[in-house]
Amino acid sequence: MNFASKLALAAVLSLGTTALTVAPAAAQKKDDKKADPNALKVSDEFRKPAALAEAAVKAKDWATAEPQIAAAEAAAKNDDEKYYSAWLRLQLELSRGNEAGQAIPLQVLVSNPRTPPENVRPYNARLAFLQGKAAASAKKPADVITFMTKARELGEKNVDIPLMMANSYGAMGKNAEAAAEARNAIEYAKSNGQKAPEAWYQFAIPKVNATGNRDAIADWLAYYLKDYPTVKNWRWAMEVLGQGAKGTDRNAKIERIDLFRLRRVTNALADRGDYADYAYVAQSAGLPWESISVIEEGRKAGKVPQTDPDTVKILSAAQKGVSGSPSLDALVKQGGVDNADALLAAGDNARALQLYDAALAKGGANLEEINLHRGIALSRLGRKDEAKTAFQAVKTGPFVNVALLWQVSLESPPLS
């Protein structure tokens, strides 16, 4: 039942069994004992236009109803007459979709003693909602928050509530609150079987990013990518998250290369710059095997020219690095996490996994980093359930957000 039908029902319940079109007051006096105690007390002056308005409203003849409602409003003197003329006006304004016009009769109904107590709350909720919308139109964000908070507390349910609150909080520079209301709007849409517009996510994520809370950023990016898993969005998500991995320490380098790996999996390496940056990061991290394969892949895709000076230089350094390193077979025999990382970089995922598992069994190593890389190896091997478990095991530290996006990628459709 929508708001209009609820109000109609409320009005019928409040009027009792006596309609405005019964015999005039003189006839009622013959048997006051049988009079309905809930009947409206109205004058003959009010009764005629109100009865005509009531009939027109029931027939949805709004052209006829309007002048009669105006006449009833002019004649209304007591609370009963003001109540019913306000109810009639509300029906007219609801038919027009005139929200500003609805607020006026609602204010009368909220304060009128004739309004049943159980109906005051929904009237108040709707009135607060309309006042909030008016405040939004007037660009008064603080008032929007006040009225919409009241409307929500009183039970008004409308996706415009969190949307306008999100915009108002954003206008006030309250980014965390703005994002929280955007999520409320998205969840409201989902609860009604609808898909929230992509723009709602795109509104919230920069707000969260401005707070500097990387865990919250990753959570929102995962939330977005689950609903809109496009190549463009994957690339943007990793650019946003990667803004926090600009340091020169070992963890920052690992985070950057694992984000590049995720770009590769999601086909989000867009151009020469992406391939060159990825290859440089891999080479700088001591993983020349990966640097070589990335450049070769970029050339094959037609995104990295054969004569590009930057990638030619990186490739030359990477080839020297591989030639100066032990063979992959030797790395397997030596064991250890560093050699497992080298095997992962070389695409030898099965044997990399063996070394990671051995390191976990031995204990004492960086479990968060190992589980992240185990998850990558398992995902490349097509063992998605095991990969998910590995990514979920990354619960703290600098890699937890990267692991979250890798986990989302396991459920993402094929991207091209």
Side-chain angles (χ1 to χ4, degrees):
M1 183 179 292
N2 61 28
F3 181 71
S5 59
K6 285 180 181 177
L7 291 186
L9 178 60
V12 170
L13 292 174
S14 67
L15 294 180
T17 57
T18 304
L20 287 171
T21 51
V22 298
Q28 294 180 30
K29 291 179 181 177
K30 293 180 180 179
D31 195 357
D32 287 340
K33 292 181 180 179
K34 294 183 179 180
D36 186 341
N38 291 321
L40 291 174
K41 297 177 178 62
V42 299
S43 66
D44 290 338
E45 180 187 6
F46 175 83
R47 184 185 305 280
K48 182 178 179 181
L52 292 172
E54 178 187 42
V57 166
K58 287 180 179 178
K60 300 187 184 305
D61 181 358
W62 306 112
T64 300
E66 183 168 15
Q68 299 302 331
I69 291 172
E73 289 171 328
K77 299 295 188 293
N78 64 33
D79 287 332
D80 285 359
E81 293 169 344
K82 291 176 182 178
Y83 172 88
Y84 200 62
S85 60
W87 181 82
L88 291 168
R89 170 63 65 182
L90 182 59
Q91 307 315 301
L92 175 63
E93 302 304 344
L94 284 168
S95 76
R96 293 169 165 171
N98 179 7
E99 292 182 332
Q102 293 164 30
I104 297 171
L106 278 171
Q107 288 174 324
V108 175
L109 293 169
V110 165
S111 60
N112 195 295
R114 183 51 126 143
T115 302
E118 65 272 18
N119 294 330
V120 173
R121 185 180 179 91
Y123 287 154
N124 252 322
R126 187 65 177 182
L127 178 58
F129 171 74
L130 296 177
Q131 289 171 320
K133 292 197 77 171
S137 297
K139 300 187 185 305
K140 296 180 178 179
D143 289 345
V144 173
I145 300 302
T146 298
F147 287 125
M148 289 304 180
T149 298
K150 181 180 179 181
R152 177 185 282 162
E153 290 172 349
L154 291 171
E156 180 73 15
K157 296 184 183 300
N158 191 306
V159 74
D160 283 345
I161 292 177
L163 286 176
M164 285 191 286
M165 290 181 74
N167 281 318
S168 296
Y169 276 128
M172 296 165 68
K174 296 184 176 182
N175 292 317
E177 293 87 344
E181 290 298 342
R183 183 168 292 219
N184 285 337
I186 293 168
E187 290 301 314
Y188 182 92
K190 289 182 177 181
S191 71
N192 286 281
Q194 300 171 348
K195 187 174 183 179
E198 191 172 3
W200 296 1
Y201 300 81
Q202 294 170 339
F203 164 87
I205 291 172
K207 298 287 188 293
V208 179
N209 200 27
T211 69
N213 185 335
R214 295 198 75 217
D215 290 345
I217 294 167
D219 179 66
W220 260 98
L221 292 172
Y223 189 55
Y224 178 37
L225 292 169
K226 287 176 183 177
D227 289 343
Y228 288 94
T230 66
V231 169
K232 178 182 177 182
N233 291 345
W234 271 104
R235 186 171 191 270
W236 180 66
M238 283 173 279
E239 286 178 349
V240 171
L241 189 60
Q243 290 172 5
K246 301 293 188 182
T248 58
D249 64 317
R250 183 174 184 277
N251 286 341
K253 290 179 179 179
I254 292 172
E255 185 173 349
R256 282 200 296 274
I257 196 165
D258 287 336
L259 286 173
F260 271 121
R261 286 167 172 166
L262 187 52
R263 286 196 191 193
R264 194 177 189 181
V265 167
T266 55
N267 290 316
L269 293 170
D271 51 29
R272 185 213 71 87
D274 281 352
Y275 283 95
D277 289 346
Y278 183 0
Y280 176 77
V281 168
Q283 173 61 21
S284 299
L287 303 173
W289 305 270
E290 192 159 2
S291 184
I292 292 169
S293 68
V294 167
I295 292 173
E296 290 177 345
E297 183 180 295
R299 287 177 173 179
K300 185 177 180 180
K303 295 182 179 181
V304 177
Q306 293 281 344
T307 57
D308 176 67
D310 292 334
T311 50
V312 167
K313 183 178 179 180
I314 296 169
L315 180 61
S316 176
Q319 289 169 336
K320 289 179 181 178
V322 170
S323 65
S325 300
S327 68
L328 297 183
D329 289 340
L331 295 178
V332 172
K333 291 179 181 179
Q334 292 172 13
V337 174
D338 288 343
N339 288 338
D341 288 343
L343 292 165
L344 186 70
D348 196 341
N349 300 298
R351 293 200 290 181
L353 183 60
Q354 291 175 11
L355 297 190
Y356 288 132
D357 289 344
L360 281 182
K362 185 177 180 181
N366 186 337
L367 301 183
E368 307 295 330
E369 180 183 332
I370 291 174
N371 276 309
L372 173 60
H373 290 162
R374 282 186 72 251
I376 294 173
L378 286 163
S379 67
R380 289 175 177 178
L381 293 168
R383 295 158 62 176
K384 287 188 175 183
D385 290 342
E386 294 172 86
K388 182 178 180 180
T389 300
F391 291 134
Q392 289 175 336
V394 184
K395 298 182 182 299
T396 60
F399 308 122
V400 64
N401 296 323
V402 179
L404 176 61
L405 292 194
W406 268 96
Q407 187 178 326
V408 174
S409 75
L410 296 174
E411 307 302 327
S412 182
L415 302 170
S416 59

